[in-house]
């Protein structure tokens, strides 16, 4: 079982925030805050073009209290590789070097640099905060958008499946891969802590709903991140040195309780819901614990 | 100092090694790759204490170098043509973030159609990106320019591209005099300017509103303008230390009492020297201006050297489609309203097309033939 | 004359509260009605870091709270109350809200 983080013992001071210029109820910001609770001061972060890159600062003021660089869209892990190299030549030790991208900046346009850094096993880690759309440009479809979801450029729903980034990163042969959810902060923080403590490349994929893109009320951001896990569609697990472990057991609530209330799934068919439910049933039936 | 036979690639790599680069990243491309391989060998042999990031693309290579520079390391990369185009987006970031990165460029034609041969099209494509651009006539220049580039970049906090031509220089041996490592170290003291600093956290490249953006751009341009005085100073200092004169922004060759001047940059300057010597011996009043620095554009200095000539033959190893040669266009803009001379833009040697003495002679003749229109453009060697 | 700016476009750490003018976004604001019942986990769910605890009591910093309502959903003891309780205008639009 993953190390439990004692929530009450974590530092009160925010290194991302307080305050940001994002939308209210932004899960990217929630993820950032949770991460910084465990990564702490000796962390440098690079964030490619995305909501998260823009909501942390404005002109001469930034809400980040650690070195932060808003990079170009394609290359945050490459920039972080360079930062690590520069720290090493200068003998600067004990610094977490992180690249932190949205789903486009990780799985799509950012994938080349991510894959490269993973293959080189750079001593950095990458976090993908996944809102399943391109929100910073208004909510278009990307590879992480689930099948049938409506987006600002898919009025009939996305016809293809969500690309499985965790599996792709796992087969890079890196030491640590984990999924996480903003609704499970102890789990998320433990995984970040682990990634930070390890040498070599790690990848963490956080499901971070965007209430605007998903068509839910802003106060439901955390609730839907939770339902995604509880219905079984977003499995929380980690693969450490090849050993796979589920870190949160889902209650397996009906998939439709997660899907139906979201406006983006308003055109989903009954067959598709059944298919998803069947998939979940099969998967958890087979894989077990 | 002893002279050694070496290729331009080796001169570039040696220049970077003597400059004690700390972080290197590149992505293989022809004809820049021999410089890359040489640098990797220096590192693996323990002759150069430098971290190498084996990037998975040109874009990431420059991004890694940028990250290293932001975190305080002296950083270098080499590329050309498609690689440089692919880096373009990052090149703008490097310049906008005022990082003292140095990049060698083994100039090569741009696809399509596919060509692997020398030309300045790749460098010219970057003419607005905020980098200082220095051109090398020979392999000695490549070495000297690379070392000076770090001084210039670090003083102005502006990146520098050192151009040398593919094959003509990258794969051709010439005698090169290499300065001692100690002397170069004294010429290039390392002063770190980390922006990504764990002890002084800052946000880099936050969203910037119109009033701030424009001021940043003004400052960036101001640094380029300042380069027009800094580059000659560095060249002077280099001459004092190492005895070789890089001639600052440009070199006037046999420009006393001339009617006709050739203006060129890069390897074709050497060929043009031969033609000038030849024609001079026949009594023709012709000279040559070797442009060493193309960005910033030394329009004033060029004018000072050319103001009394009747004909200017500009050798442009590039084409800006729908406009003409980049160098001639810049000269015409800089001379606007001040001159009656004929400025002939000669597009020459694209994609490795022949650009020997005969072709340059043809260019020179075309200039004197076209005195009707004072603003002509011809393609040589079609 | 160009403004005096750092050579490298950089920003210094500080509060973005006044830039985001977060409080002007709010239609509802969280009110901690039963401090004893508040689940400390909400500290990790607030996107703004608007919640803090002092001597075991959780409070809201209204200069950064945008009124998303997550805390009220995620914890007992917190309810969202309307920012403006006065008379609504003829079209039902908030009038002269704070
Ligand atoms: C090279 C390039 N192409 C396109 C863009 C425009 N762009 C900026 S952010 C963005 C989408 C980001 O999506 P994602 O990574 O999912 O993060 P999110 O905004 O959803 O948090 C796009 C398309 C860009 N900045 N750079
Ligand atoms: S309403 Fe939203 S922003 Fe305000 S304190 Fe609660 S969670 Fe934070």
């Amino acid at each position: 079982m993953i190390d439990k983080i004692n929530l009450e013992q974590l530092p009160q001071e925010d290194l991302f925030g307080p305050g940001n210029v994002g939308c209210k109820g932004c899960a990217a910001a929630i993820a950032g805050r949770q991460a910084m609770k465990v990564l702490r001061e000796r962390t440098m972060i690079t964030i490619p073009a995305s909501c998260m890159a823009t909501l942390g600062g404005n002109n001469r003021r930034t809400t980040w209290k650690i070195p932060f660089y808003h990079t170009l869209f394609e290359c945050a892990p490459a920039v972080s590789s360079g930062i690590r190299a520069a720290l090493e030549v200068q003998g600067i030790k004990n610094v977490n070097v992180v690249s932190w991208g949205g789903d486009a900046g990780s799985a799509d346009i950012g994938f080349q640099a991510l894959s490269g850094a993973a293959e080189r096993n750079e001593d950095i880690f990458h976090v993908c905060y996944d809102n399943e759309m391109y929100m910073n440009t208004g909510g278009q479809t990307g590879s992480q958008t689930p099948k049938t979801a409506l987006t600002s450029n898919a009025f009939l729903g996305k016809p293809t499946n969500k690309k499985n980034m965790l599996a792709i990163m796992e087969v890079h042969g890196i030491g640590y891969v984990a999924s996480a959810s903003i609704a499970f902060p102890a789990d998320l923080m433990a995984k970040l802590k682990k990634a930070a403590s390890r040498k070599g490349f790690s990848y963490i994929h956080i499901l971070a709903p965007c209430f605007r893109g998903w068509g839910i009320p802003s106060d439901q951001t955390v609730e839907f991140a939770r339902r995604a896990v509880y219905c079984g569609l977003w499995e929380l697990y980690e693969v450490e040195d090849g050993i796979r472990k589920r870190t949160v057991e889902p209650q397996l609530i009906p998939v439709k309780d997660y899907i139906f209330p979201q406006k983006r799934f308003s055109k989903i068919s009954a067959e598709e819901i059944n298919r998803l439910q069947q998939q979940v049933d099969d998967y958890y039936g087979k894989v077990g614990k | 100092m002893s002279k050694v036979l070496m290729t331009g690639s080796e001169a570039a790599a040696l220049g970077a090694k003597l400059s004690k680069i700390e972080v290197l990243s590149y992505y293989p491309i022809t004809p820049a790759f021999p410089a890359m391989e040489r640098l990797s060998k220096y590192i693996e042999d323990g002759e150069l204490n430098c971290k190498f990031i084996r990037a998975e693309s040109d874009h990431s290579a420059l991004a890694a170098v940028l990250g290293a520079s932001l975190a305080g390391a002296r950083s270098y990369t080499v590329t050309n043509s498609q690689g440089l185009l692919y880096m373009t987006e990052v090149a703008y970031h490097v310049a906008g973030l005022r990082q003292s990165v140095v990049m060698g460029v083994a100039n090569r034609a741009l696809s399509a159609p596919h060509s692997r041969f020398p030309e300045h099209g790749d460098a010219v494509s970057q003419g607005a990106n905020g980098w200082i651009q220095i051109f090398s006539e020979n392999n000695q220049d490549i070495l000297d320019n690379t070392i000076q580039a770090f001084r210039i970049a670090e003083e102005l906090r502006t990146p520098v591209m050192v151009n040398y031509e593919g094959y003509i220089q990258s794969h051709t041996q010439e005698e090169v005099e290499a300065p001692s490592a100690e002397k170069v170290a004294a010429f290039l003291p390392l002063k770190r300017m980390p922006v990504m600093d764990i002890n002084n956290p800052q946000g880099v490249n936050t969203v910037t509103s119109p009033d701030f953006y424009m001021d940043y751009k003004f400052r960036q341009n101001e640094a380029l303008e300042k380069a027009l005085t800094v580059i000659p100073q560095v060249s002077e200092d280099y001459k004092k230390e190492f005895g070789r004169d890089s001639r600052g922004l440009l070199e006037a060759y046999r420009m006393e009492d001339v009617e006709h001047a050739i203006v060129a940059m890069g390897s074709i300057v050497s060929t043009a020297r031969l033609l000038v010597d030849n024609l001079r011996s026949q009594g023709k009043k012709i000279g040559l201006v070797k442009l060493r620095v193309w960005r910033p554009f030394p329009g004033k200095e060029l004018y000072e050297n050319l103001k009394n000539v009747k004909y200017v033959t500009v050798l442009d190893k590039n084409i800006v489609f729908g406009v003409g040669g980049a160098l001639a266009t810049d000269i015409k803009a800089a001379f606007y309203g001040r001159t009656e001379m004929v400025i002939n833009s000669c597009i020459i040697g694209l994609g490795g097309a022949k650009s020997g003495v005969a072709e340059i002679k043809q260019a020179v003749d075309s200039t004197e033939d076209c005195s009707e229109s004072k603003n002509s453009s011809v393609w040589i060697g079609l | 004359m160009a403004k005096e700016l750092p050579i490298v476009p950089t920003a210094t750490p500080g509060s973005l509260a006044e830039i985001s003018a977060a409080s002007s976004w709010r239609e509802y604001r969280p009110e901690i009605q039963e401090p004893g019942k508040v689940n400390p986990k909400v500290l990790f769910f607030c996107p703004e870091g608007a919640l803090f605890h002092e001597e075991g009591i959780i409070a809201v910093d209204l200069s950064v709270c945008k009124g998303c309502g997550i805390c009220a959903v995620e914890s007992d003891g917190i309810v969202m109350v309307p920012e403006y309780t006065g008379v609504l205008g003829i079209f039902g639009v908030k009038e002269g809200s704070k």
Side-chain angles (χ1 to χ4, degrees):
Chain A
M1 199 47 209
I2 196 153
D3 301 337
K4 274 273 172 270
I5 299 246
N6 188 338
L7 295 178
E8 276 105 300
Q9 277 174 9
L10 288 169
Q12 166 123 255
E13 196 213 344
D14 271 314
L15 297 175
F16 173 72
N20 61 64
V21 287
C23 306
K24 65 177 181 179
C26 175
I30 296 175
R33 283 195 58 239
Q34 291 181 357
M36 290 318 300
K37 290 285 176 204
V38 285
L39 298 180
R40 306 308 301 155
E41 287 84 355
R42 289 187 73 78
T43 300
M44 293 192 180
I45 197 161
T46 64
I47 306 187
S50 58
C51 289
M52 193 66 178
T54 57
L55 57 80
N58 216 319
N59 288 332
R60 300 277 296 114
R61 191 85 62 78
T62 175
T63 201
W64 289 97
K65 296 183 180 60
I66 54 164
F68 148 69
Y69 168 30
H70 167 189
T71 74
L72 291 163
F73 207 1
E74 306 85 339
C75 59
V79 173
S80 285
S81 305
I83 290 173
R84 172 61 80 201
L87 296 182
E88 279 178 7
V89 279
Q90 295 171 73
I92 301 172
K93 296 202 172 77
N94 302 321
V95 176
N96 304 315
V97 181
V98 188
S99 53
W100 177 292
D103 40 286
S106 306
D108 300 339
I109 191 169
F111 185 69
Q112 177 173 280
L114 173 61
S115 178
E119 182 275 327
R120 293 191 302 272
N121 199 23
E122 295 282 351
D123 190 15
I124 63 175
F125 61 96
H126 184 89
V127 177
C128 169
Y129 74 95
D130 183 4
N131 51 30
E132 305 194 317
M133 289 185 190
Y134 292 10
M135 285 319 305
N136 196 44
T137 39
Q140 296 82 12
T141 313
S143 74
Q144 296 306 292
T145 307
K147 191 169 173 179
T148 75
L150 308 179
T151 66
S152 69
N153 64 350
F155 307 103
L156 302 173
K158 187 190 173 198
T160 55
N161 286 318
K162 180 176 171 113
K163 174 165 96 180
N164 187 340
M165 271 300 281
L166 281 148
I168 293 168
M169 294 316 292
E170 192 185 328
V171 294
H172 277 72
I174 53 179
Y176 189 66
V177 170
S179 61
S181 160
I182 56 144
F184 296 85
D187 181 69
L188 183 149
M189 290 191 262
K191 286 167 175 170
L192 276 159
K193 212 171 162 184
K194 198 172 264 184
S197 68
R198 294 181 57 99
K199 260 218 113 33
F201 196 87
S202 300
Y203 177 77
I204 295 179
H205 196 118
I206 303 176
L207 189 68
C210 169
F211 82 90
R212 293 173 54 95
W214 292 24
I216 52 175
S218 69
D219 60 4
Q220 295 297 310
T221 307
V222 175
E223 173 60 18
F224 275 79
R226 185 179 296 116
R227 287 191 197 180
V229 173
Y230 279 168
C231 80
L233 282 176
W234 187 249
E235 187 190 10
L236 292 183
Y237 70 99
E238 59 180 3
V239 184
E240 190 177 4
D241 298 322
I243 297 166
R244 192 182 204 279
K245 236 182 287 173
R246 189 175 300 149
T247 56
V248 171
E249 265 325 306
Q251 308 165 333
L252 296 178
I253 60 170
V255 163
K256 67 174 171 31
D257 290 359
Y258 169 62
I259 298 281
F260 273 152
Q262 300 181 45
K263 286 210 186 79
R264 63 174 176 155
F265 288 120
S266 56
K267 289 196 177 151
I268 195 167
S269 64
E271 297 88 79
E272 182 62 16
I273 292 261
N274 287 340
R275 191 184 67 85
L276 286 173
Q277 188 63 60
Q278 194 58 50
Q279 262 185 3
V280 167
D281 294 347
D282 287 354
Y283 179 78
Y284 288 89
K286 242 189 263 142
V287 178
K289 285 219 166 188
Chain B
M1 271 188 272
S2 58
K3 288 198 171 181
V4 189
L5 261 185
M6 65 175 84
T7 63
S9 303
E10 288 164 344
L14 182 60
K17 177 192 172 214
L18 289 170
S19 304
K20 291 210 167 77
I21 57 167
E22 297 176 303
V23 175
L24 167 75
S25 186
Y26 59 69
Y27 189 70
I29 190 161
T30 305
F33 73 82
M36 303 169 175
E37 291 171 350
R38 175 53 64 113
L39 280 165
S40 283
K41 181 136 176 44
Y42 283 141
I43 296 172
E44 286 182 10
D45 289 350
E47 286 182 50
L48 174 61
N49 182 15
C50 174
K51 293 273 168 201
F52 169 52
I53 298 159
R54 180 178 47 77
E56 81 300 323
S57 74
D58 317 85
H59 193 285
S60 286
L62 190 56
V65 159
L66 168 56
S69 176
L70 282 169
R74 187 177 279 173
S75 312
Y76 181 76
T77 188
V78 202
T79 190
N80 55 252
S81 62
Q82 309 312 123
L84 185 57
L85 287 195
Y86 196 20
M87 284 179 179
T88 305
E89 192 197 23
V90 194
Y92 275 82
H93 242 221
V94 175
L97 295 175
R98 306 292 301 274
Q99 292 306 297
S100 311
V101 169
V102 174
M103 163 154 69
V105 182
N107 306 118
R108 164 182 151 184
L110 298 172
S111 197
H114 187 78
S115 164
R116 224 175 263 136
F117 294 110
E119 192 205 285
H120 289 155
D122 54 2
V124 163
S125 78
Q126 304 299 310
N129 72 3
W131 287 56
I132 290 168
Q133 286 204 36
I134 302 180
F135 281 78
S136 315
E137 177 189 350
N138 49 46
N139 294 354
Q140 184 70 60
D141 270 5
I142 301 173
L143 178 76
D144 296 341
N145 287 345
T146 303
I147 295 168
Q148 289 177 49
F150 283 99
R151 235 324 248 274
I152 297 163
E154 286 165 18
E155 184 157 340
L156 292 165
R157 307 197 66 174
T158 296
V160 181
M161 269 167 62
V162 177
N163 292 290
Y164 59 96
E165 264 158 284
Y167 298 108
I168 300 173
Q169 293 176 270
S170 69
H171 286 61
T172 308
Q173 287 187 322
E174 282 183 336
E175 279 191 333
V176 174
E177 213 170 76
S180 74
E182 299 74 52
K183 275 186 101 171
V184 178
F187 183 76
L188 284 180
L190 181 66
K191 52 174 195 300
R192 295 195 189 282
M193 298 170 279
V195 180
M196 294 289 279
D197 181 354
I198 202 75
N199 298 315
N200 175 26
Q202 299 185 89
V204 183
N205 190 33
T206 42
V207 177
T208 302
S209 58
D211 41 341
F212 283 84
Y213 185 85
M214 193 139 164
D215 292 69
Y216 279 121
K217 293 296 131 179
F218 177 84
R219 296 280 184 227
Q220 199 183 328
N221 189 56
E222 204 173 49
L224 266 282
E225 281 171 3
K226 201 170 156 209
L228 292 170
T229 50
V230 169
I231 294 169
Q233 274 162 20
V234 171
S235 172
E236 262 313 296
D237 290 352
Y238 194 80
K239 186 170 133 197
K240 262 184 232 137
E241 283 307 315
F242 304 99
R244 255 189 321 279
D245 191 352
S246 301
R247 317 248 180 193
L249 304 169
L250 53 80
E251 173 194 347
Y253 179 70
R254 304 194 74 170
M255 282 293 288
E256 349 39 77
D257 186 29
V258 295
E259 268 186 357
H260 193 142
I262 300 171
V263 183
M265 50 191 193
S267 69
I268 202 170
V269 170
S270 286
T271 322
R273 283 184 205 270
L274 295 178
L275 179 71
V276 167
D277 290 348
N278 190 325
L279 294 178
R280 276 268 174 173
S281 67
Q282 293 169 30
K284 190 169 172 63
K285 293 180 170 175
I286 190 164
L288 166 72
V289 174
K290 161 185 171 178
L291 194 66
R292 178 176 178 243
V293 177
W294 179 58
R295 286 290 179 269
F297 191 70
K300 202 172 109 253
E301 294 74 8
L302 268 171
Y303 183 73
E304 283 311 309
N305 281 274
L306 294 171
K307 62 184 175 201
N308 298 321
V309 306
K310 242 168 104 185
Y311 303 106
V312 179
T313 296
V314 186
L315 303 180
D316 259 309
K317 269 196 158 181
N318 69 83
I319 173 70
V320 179
F321 299 101
V323 180
L327 181 49
T329 304
D330 288 344
I331 292 174
K332 288 171 190 170
F335 290 12
Y336 175 75
R338 293 202 276 187
T339 177
E340 284 294 304
M341 68 182 76
V342 174
I343 301 174
N344 188 23
S345 165
C346 301
I347 310 300
I348 190 166
L350 298 192
K354 222 170 158 227
S355 49
V357 174
E359 285 74 24
I360 302 175
K361 174 73 169 50
Q362 220 182 312
V364 165
D365 290 346
S366 77
T367 307
E368 295 189 16
D369 287 347
C370 70
S371 48
E372 306 289 278
S373 102
K374 295 195 158 129
N375 180 10
S376 65
S377 179
V378 293
W379 288 59
I380 304 294
L382 292 177
Chain C
M1 251 316 277
K3 289 182 203 53
E4 276 314 315
L5 289 168
I7 293 179
V8 181
T10 42
T12 36
S15 168
L16 287 180
E18 70 213 57
I19 295 169
S20 72
S23 50
S24 71
W25 301 31
R26 278 197 309 267
E27 288 172 74
Y28 294 88
R29 99 178 93 111
E31 205 169 85
I32 298 185
Q33 293 187 342
E34 292 172 273
K37 289 196 178 165
V38 175
N39 181 347
K41 248 192 182 178
V42 286
L43 292 176
F44 301 100
F45 292 143
C46 172
E48 313 301 325
L51 297 164
F52 59 99
H53 58 93
E54 237 164 32
E55 290 157 21
I57 301 196
I58 291 182
V60 190
D61 176 353
L62 286 173
S63 72
V64 291
C65 165
K66 290 178 188 149
C68 68
I70 290 175
C71 53
V73 168
E74 293 298 323
S75 172
D76 292 338
I78 307 178
V79 286
M80 299 304 287
V81 299
E83 270 296 334
Y84 179 70
T85 51
V87 185
L88 292 181
I90 190 160
F91 299 115
V93 181
K94 292 195 289 185
E95 228 176 35
S97 55
K98 61 159 266 194

